[in-house]
Amino acid sequence: MNETFTGKVWVLDDDIDTDIIIPTEYLALKTVQDMAPYAFSPLRPELAARICPGDIIVAGKNFGCGSSREQAPEIIKALGIKCIVAKSFARIFFRNAINNGLLLIENPELRDSVSEGDMIEVEVNEKITHRGNTYPIASLPQNLVDIINAGGLVKAMRRLNGLED
């Protein structure tokens, strides 16, 4: 996974819980695409409509805390977010995101250095570059890279077992 991409930054704070990512009242909608316009609405009602494919969320610590609802990473991915860079992630959100093919990167410094609208370059499993500064990032284990590259756990298992569509 030596992919390199550039994206526009959306900045969020610490403790963005799954109720902020997708409020409970919208979970009754039929599809993730139906829910996506309401993403982050308790915090920033306009945000979901402003996100463009390839954008990147940069957040503080404990991103994805709260309930284990699988729709939270699915909706972020449906918005077109390329990856989330945060100081830390809630463990169950981290695994749900990987299982849905959403790239998560932990970095303790970037959040304090970027402003909303900045562009950052991500070299997966290597580094993030922002305004000439480099932020090293840890490599993900190969099994997680395979899941992300496949687009999620189900697709990875189908590929592994020769059942690709």
Side-chain angles (χ1 to χ4, degrees):
M1 185 179 215
N2 292 332
E3 180 184 7
T4 300
F5 56 88
T6 302
K8 182 173 87 172
V9 168
W10 295 98
V11 176
L12 298 175
D13 290 324
D14 295 339
D15 303 314
I16 301 299
D17 68 30
T18 54
D19 289 326
I20 289 173
I21 296 169
I22 185 62
T24 304
E25 62 264 28
Y26 301 112
L27 293 174
L29 298 174
K30 288 187 176 187
T31 69
V32 170
Q33 287 72 27
D34 293 337
M35 295 176 212
Y38 304 101
F40 304 104
S41 59
L43 184 65
R44 294 178 58 185
E46 80 293 348
L47 184 58
R50 296 182 61 203
I51 290 173
C52 296
D55 287 353
I56 298 170
I57 291 174
V58 177
K61 64 182 190 316
N62 203 26
F63 189 93
C65 58
S67 70
S68 62
R69 66 182 60 148
E70 190 169 331
Q71 297 93 335
E74 287 181 303
I75 287 165
I76 293 170
K77 190 174 175 187
L79 289 173
I81 291 294
K82 184 72 175 173
C83 75
I84 303 171
V85 180
K87 290 183 178 184
S88 65
F89 294 94
R91 288 187 309 170
I92 198 156
F93 178 85
F94 184 88
R95 194 57 203 219
N96 279 341
I98 298 296
N99 287 346
N100 282 286
L102 178 62
L103 176 62
L104 302 183
I105 298 171
E106 284 193 350
N107 182 279
E109 301 167 354
L110 184 67
R111 168 62 181 82
D112 298 327
S113 301
V114 297
S115 297
E116 193 152 287
D118 285 356
M119 299 296 286
I120 62 172
E121 180 181 86
V122 176
E123 187 176 335
V124 178
N125 279 347
E126 295 291 330
K127 64 184 177 183
I128 298 169
T129 304
H130 172 252
R131 294 188 179 165
N133 296 315
T134 301
Y135 302 85
I137 54 177
S139 294
L140 289 171
Q142 189 58 47
N143 65 321
L144 299 185
V145 170
D146 292 343
I147 291 169
I148 293 167
N149 284 341
L153 181 61
V154 171
K155 291 177 182 177
M157 292 299 99
R158 290 185 60 78
R159 180 180 291 170
L160 182 66
N161 291 298
L163 300 172
E164 282 189 274
D165 296 334

